[in-house]
Amino acid sequence: QKEVEQNSGPLSVPEGAIASLNCTYSDRGSQSFFWYRQYSGKSPELIMFIYSNGDKEDGRFTAQLNKASQYVSLLIRDSQPSDSATYLCAAKGLTGGGNKLTFGTGTQLKVEL
Amino acid sequence: EAQVTQNPRYLITVTGKKLTVTCSQNMNHEYMSWYRQDPGLGLRQIYYSMNVEVTDKGDVPEGYKVSRKEKRNFPLILESPSPNQTSLYFCASSLFSRGQGRVNEQFFGPGTRLTVL
């Protein structure tokens, strides 16, 4: 069983719409969660992190965490073609010295004109 | 500019020929890590290091070695590469501090695309 699961997509949304990306995790010891964006052939770049239950907003991005349901999501409002990328969800727990990131396989997002 | 650098960026080699991929960071980070990324499998950790001379295995360490003799450098060594090590490799670094709220964002290098024939 994968520790962090994401739907691989592709998720297609029209320009200007809200894109909703979801992630579940199996390790209840996971303490913080990260969303990375990765363009094809490029390195992952951090968009947001969250470690408390609830919502966290940063510009057009909102991360949501529900530890009881072991569920993390990322909402992208007013989606733009430049948001087309693969979005990686990662969880950090107590393993690996407390700094290890366990990644999902990513969801490919396509924002269509 | 704060960054993680990797060299080479692209490498084609043959089975059994030892190679080293270098990784260097200029952010004085304690923690460094190597990942490989394969289609359908995502990013998987190979080795990590919490500080100089402190290294440990990640999820897929077989066939790889690392060393951490200096804080800024964390080379990945393939003693006898095999075709199943063909992959996209990323080095990452972060601060290493414990406690709630210590996010320790990991910064990734540009990647090394390795092909083993």
Side-chain angles (χ1 to χ4, degrees), chain B residues 43-74:
Chain B
L43 279 160
R44 294 178 293 168
Q45 189 180 55
I46 303 170
Y47 268 95
Y48 66 94
S49 169
M50 290 189 282
N51 215 323
V52 175
E53 301 291 2
V54 180
T55 63
D56 207 346
K57 297 177 181 178
D59 296 319
V60 288
E62 295 78 20
Y64 304 94
K65 287 177 58 178
V66 293
S67 68
R68 187 90 182 272
K69 293 181 172 23
E70 304 167 286
K71 196 172 186 178
R72 62 183 294 128
N73 297 322
F74 190 44

Side-chain angles (χ1 to χ4, degrees), chain B residues 61-103:
Chain B
E62 295 78 20
Y64 304 94
K65 287 177 58 178
V66 293
S67 68
R68 187 90 182 272
K69 293 181 172 23
E70 304 167 286
K71 196 172 186 178
R72 62 183 294 128
N73 297 322
F74 190 44
L76 180 69
I77 303 157
L78 285 72
E79 294 269 5
S80 183
S82 62
N84 65 12
Q85 292 178 297
T86 293
S87 187
L88 179 58
Y89 291 86
F90 289 104
C91 179
S93 74
S94 74
L95 293 170
F96 182 59
S97 52
R98 298 183 185 275
Q100 183 69 6
R102 301 287 184 176
V103 175

